[in-house]
Amino acid sequence: MAKPKVSSDWCAGCSGCHMSFLDMDERLLELVNLADIRATPFTDLKHPDEDGVQIGIIEGGINNLTHIEVIKRMRERSKYLVAFGDCAVFGGVPAMRNFFDLQETLRYAYIDTISTDESGKIPNDPEVAVMTRVQAISEVVKVDVFLPGCPPSADAIFYTLSELAKGRMPKLTGDLLNWH
Ligand code: SF4
């Protein structure tokens, strides 16, 4: 029987969750026996073009129009969608900007401070056209599994992915999530 495909993608975050994927160390070999690991930190491929994904993993909150496309595409292609890390689960670090005025923040970033963009304007680009507020993944698409943590522990990642690969819904506990 074909192994279930696992694929991941990024929205707004620091990529720390993806790096914690690699913290599974030798258990990655165990996971490779259970699942067909496609676009993940193994390949460092962003916005993968994979169909028939059993387990889709999204890191980061929704900050711009591109992120909305990313999560909708992953939702359409995946049987199970995992919100991977605090930024995906509730907005996390990127959502700190929700406490500030958006236009003032953009002006500060692109006009009032030194920037690689010397046009003196806020770029008109879907990667920059930030949403009024950073959103959690579940505010836009249905999420099947919430895997919190900044980043989630390697134990929690391994448990979640191996359970899903076996066709079972994970039951995450406080111990696995380091809630002590
Ligand atoms: Fe980075 Fe933490 Fe967000 Fe993960 S949850 S992307 S480690 S800030």
Side-chain angles (χ1 to χ4, degrees), residues 21-163:
F21 195 100
L22 302 176
D23 290 342
M24 284 188 281
D25 297 328
E26 68 274 5
R27 281 173 297 181
L28 281 166
L29 297 174
E30 214 175 309
L31 198 57
V32 165
N33 285 326
L34 290 172
D36 180 8
I37 309 285
R38 311 292 281 208
T40 64
F42 279 147
T43 56
D44 205 20
L45 188 65
K46 211 166 185 181
H47 310 331
D49 191 20
E50 289 280 354
D51 280 322
V53 174
Q54 185 90 355
I55 306 164
I57 304 169
I58 293 281
E59 170 191 305
I62 303 167
N63 188 45
N64 60 39
L65 303 180
T66 300
H67 295 152
I68 296 224
E69 284 173 26
V70 164
I71 61 164
K72 284 188 172 171
R73 192 169 54 220
M74 187 63 95
R75 176 68 274 180
E76 281 166 14
R77 293 172 172 190
S78 308
K79 180 169 182 189
Y80 301 114
L81 186 69
V82 180
F84 187 39
D86 284 354
C87 296
V89 170
F90 66 88
V93 172
M96 289 171 71
R97 75 132 167 106
N98 293 351
F99 296 100
F100 301 93
D101 178 82
L102 174 59
Q103 289 309 315
E104 265 184 45
T105 306
L106 290 171
R107 181 187 308 279
Y108 182 77
Y110 287 100
I111 299 172
D112 296 345
T113 56
I114 297 171
S115 163
T116 50
D117 184 325
E118 295 177 345
S119 67
K121 293 180 187 162
I122 298 166
N124 181 19
D125 182 315
E127 292 273 358
V128 174
V130 289
M131 315 299 292
T132 309
R133 50 181 280 279
V134 172
Q135 293 177 297
I137 304 298
S138 59
E139 291 182 74
V140 177
V141 295
K142 176 177 173 278
V143 169
D144 300 296
V145 178
F146 293 91
L147 179 50
C150 182
S153 70
D155 288 346
I157 298 169
F158 176 75
Y159 169 73
T160 300
L161 298 183
S162 56
E163 286 296 286

